[in-house]
């Protein structure tokens, strides 16, 4: 397919395929992660899917960030709500990240994801090994979802994540269901 990139890797008898697909029709990306246990023993794994957000505007150190980020059960993901100018008029919009499987944890702030002095090169979320289920308001926001797996020998599991922008929660849910 056009607009798709797949990254393959293997380490410690776990292989992964991470595919990023950008459809032409909607403002979103679809990520799929396929994990396979190539060992002869049961393995416990944690997938941490995260990204930064330019949707909530630039970071303002004096606390001018007024967007709100939270977990949404209907979407099974995190949303950042914002009123912004689109095509000349102000509209409410949601930036979102949602998962196909039940989410085991989430984070919505840069501090929870990369740490107060960290970066995406060395994010705190990876050092910690899990999300802290932190929602956010008044600070730089981001998106992170956690999924834990137990894979038997030879077993594989696939999850999908969608990241996008919608003008209503119904539109976000419909976009998630479509992909």
């Amino acid at each position: 397919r056009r607009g798709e990139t797949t990254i393959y890797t293997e380490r410690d008898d776990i292989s992964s395929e991470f595919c990023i697909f950008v459809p032409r029709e909607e403002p979103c990306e679809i990520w799929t992660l396929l994990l396979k246990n190539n060992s002869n023993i049961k393995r416990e794994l944690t997938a941490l899917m995260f990204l930064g957000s330019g949707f909530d505007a630039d970071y303002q150190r004096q606390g001018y960030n007024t967007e709100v980020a939270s977990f949404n059960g209907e979407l099974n993901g995190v949303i950042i709500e914002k009123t912004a100018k689109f095509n000349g008029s102000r509209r409410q919009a949601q930036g979102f990240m949602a998962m196909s499987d039940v989410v085991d944890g989430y984070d919505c702030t840069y501090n929870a994801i990369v740490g107060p002095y960290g970066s995406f090169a060395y994010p705190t979320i990876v050092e910690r090994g899990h999300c802290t289920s932190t929602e956010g308001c008044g600070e730089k926001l981001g998106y992170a979802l956690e999924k834990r797996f137990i894979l038997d020998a030879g077993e594989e599991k696939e999850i999908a994540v969608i990241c996008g922008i919608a003008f209503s929660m119904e539109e976000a849910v419909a976009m998630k269901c479509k992909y």
Side-chain angles (χ1 to χ4, degrees):
R1 294 186 299 203
R2 297 186 71 186
E4 177 182 293
T5 299
T6 303
I7 301 165
Y8 303 91
T9 188
E10 185 166 346
R11 181 173 178 180
D12 298 329
D13 292 325
I14 301 294
S15 61
S16 68
E17 294 181 21
F18 181 65
C19 179
I20 303 166
F21 172 67
V22 180
R24 293 179 188 215
E25 298 81 29
E26 276 94 14
C28 65
E29 291 183 2
I30 293 88
W31 303 349
T32 55
L33 175 65
L34 176 65
L35 296 171
K36 183 174 182 184
N37 179 1
N38 297 314
S39 73
N40 57 4
I41 59 171
K42 185 183 290 191
R43 303 290 292 275
E44 293 182 33
L45 306 171
T46 301
L48 297 167
M49 312 294 263
F50 58 91
L51 76 151
S53 170
F55 178 72
D56 66 324
D58 296 329
Y59 180 63
Q60 302 291 323
R61 295 195 185 276
Q62 275 68 39
Y64 300 115
N65 296 69
T66 58
E67 291 79 16
V68 176
S70 61
F71 183 80
N72 181 283
E74 179 184 9
L75 192 61
N76 189 43
V78 293
I79 59 167
I80 295 175
E81 299 181 70
K82 174 183 183 147
T83 301
K85 200 173 205 179
F86 291 94
N87 294 330
S89 62
R90 295 189 66 71
R91 297 177 70 182
Q92 181 71 24
Q94 291 83 26
F96 67 92
M97 177 187 234
M99 187 179 286
S100 58
D101 283 25
V102 175
V103 170
D104 292 318
Y106 64 90
D107 281 318
C108 302
T109 70
Y110 262 47
N111 282 345
I113 298 167
V114 300
Y117 306 107
S119 71
F120 279 104
Y122 300 100
T124 300
I125 194 172
V126 173
E127 285 181 30
R128 189 174 49 239
H130 62 86
C131 291
T132 59
S133 298
T134 301
E135 298 188 340
C137 179
E139 63 181 292
K140 184 67 181 146
L141 304 175
Y143 309 88
L145 297 176
E146 173 186 346
K147 183 63 189 169
R148 293 185 297 271
F149 301 92
I150 297 176
L151 296 178
D152 289 325
E155 186 179 8
E156 63 182 32
K157 174 70 175 166
E158 183 175 63
I159 59 168
V161 171
I162 182 170
C163 307
I165 296 174
F167 292 107
S168 69
M169 187 53 61
E170 293 79 19
E171 184 182 338
V173 171
M175 199 180 309
K176 176 190 171 194
C177 291
K178 178 178 178 179
Y179 292 102

